[in-house]
Amino acid sequence: MNEQIRAREVRLVGPQGEQVGIVSLDQALQLAADVDLDLVEVAPMARPPVCKLMDYGKFKYEAALKAREARRNQQQTVIKEMKLRLKIDTHDYETKKGHVLRFLKAGDKVKVTIMFRGREQSRPEMGKRLLERLAGDVEEFGVVESMPRLDGRNMIMVMAPHRVKQAPAAKADAEVIEEAPAAAE
């Protein structure tokens, strides 16, 4: 920036993005001083380096605003965990399935873990069958993101909610609302 630039010649870009051309560093600094802007090196590795006339403080401020807005708009992914045992009773299974459904409806990912103990470890296919049954029971609300895999004494499967396209659904609701008053008349 300004006097920190070490090249003898620079390719100069004006404040509105117009190409000024290749000029000496002294001339570029003089042009920057004339319009009360900073000379900022945009592409230092180019031959000759590319410099632009801009208000550097305003540029940094706008870049910080964009970064803050990007952070605000990014969505946090929450992973809920549901632990099961291989020998689970039907009522307990239904309760755990209800929790998984609630998590998926809320838009959270669910990590389902089956814990094996003792001789259960020799029957991982039973755990896989239980996880596939659970995936089948909740398939209308979520999709299996990672298939069941054995991880030490546990078998893990990750489920994610279905991607919902917001715009078409909202549009369809608006059409239904518009049609309702016409039918009432």
Side-chain angles (χ1 to χ4, degrees):
M1 190 172 98
N2 293 336
E3 280 77 26
Q4 296 173 348
I5 300 171
R6 294 284 157 232
R8 281 184 270 146
E9 290 185 324
V10 294
R11 182 178 304 275
L12 190 61
V13 178
Q16 273 71 43
E18 71 275 2
Q19 294 287 331
V20 176
I22 298 174
V23 296
S24 69
L25 181 62
D26 293 333
Q27 190 178 359
L29 287 170
Q30 184 60 43
L31 285 170
D34 290 345
V35 291
D36 197 31
L37 293 173
D38 296 312
L39 184 66
V40 180
E41 199 169 26
V42 180
M45 301 311 289
R47 291 285 163 238
V50 179
C51 294
K52 185 173 181 180
L53 295 174
M54 67 170 74
D55 184 353
Y56 191 66
K58 181 179 177 183
F59 171 74
K60 292 289 282 185
Y61 174 73
E62 288 173 353
L65 279 181
K66 283 181 186 176
R68 191 177 319 129
E69 190 65 32
R71 276 195 307 274
R72 185 178 303 138
N73 289 339
Q74 88 183 29
Q75 187 174 1
Q76 294 291 333
T77 313
V78 179
I79 297 181
K80 304 281 189 170
E81 186 170 12
M82 187 56 53
K83 292 190 175 191
L84 308 169
R85 291 287 316 279
L86 186 60
K87 298 176 184 173
I88 188 168
D89 191 46
T90 55
H91 181 266
D92 295 335
Y93 172 78
E94 292 298 322
T95 303
K96 298 282 188 174
K97 182 179 83 171
H99 291 314
V100 170
L101 283 173
R102 188 180 68 212
F103 295 149
L104 290 173
K105 285 178 184 175
D108 298 329
K109 288 185 178 184
V110 182
K111 177 179 171 184
V112 184
T113 305
I114 293 186
M115 301 173 293
F116 294 102
R117 291 206 305 204
R119 283 190 266 172
E120 294 174 351
Q121 292 177 36
S122 64
R123 305 293 302 271
E125 67 277 359
M126 290 178 70
K128 184 171 179 150
R129 210 174 5 206
L130 181 62
L131 287 175
E132 287 171 349
R133 178 177 145 209
L134 179 66
D137 289 346
V138 298
E139 68 184 338
E140 65 185 70
F141 297 102
V143 63
V144 176
E145 195 171 78
S146 77
M147 295 304 290
R149 67 180 189 284
L150 204 56
D151 182 29
R153 302 175 121 198
N154 300 328
M155 185 171 279
I156 298 169
M157 176 179 73
V158 178
M159 299 190 72
H162 286 300
R163 297 261 181 224
V164 178
K165 294 182 180 173
Q166 299 274 345
K171 190 176 181 182
D173 290 342
E175 290 174 6
V176 171
I177 292 170
E178 288 176 15
E179 292 175 13
E185 291 174 8

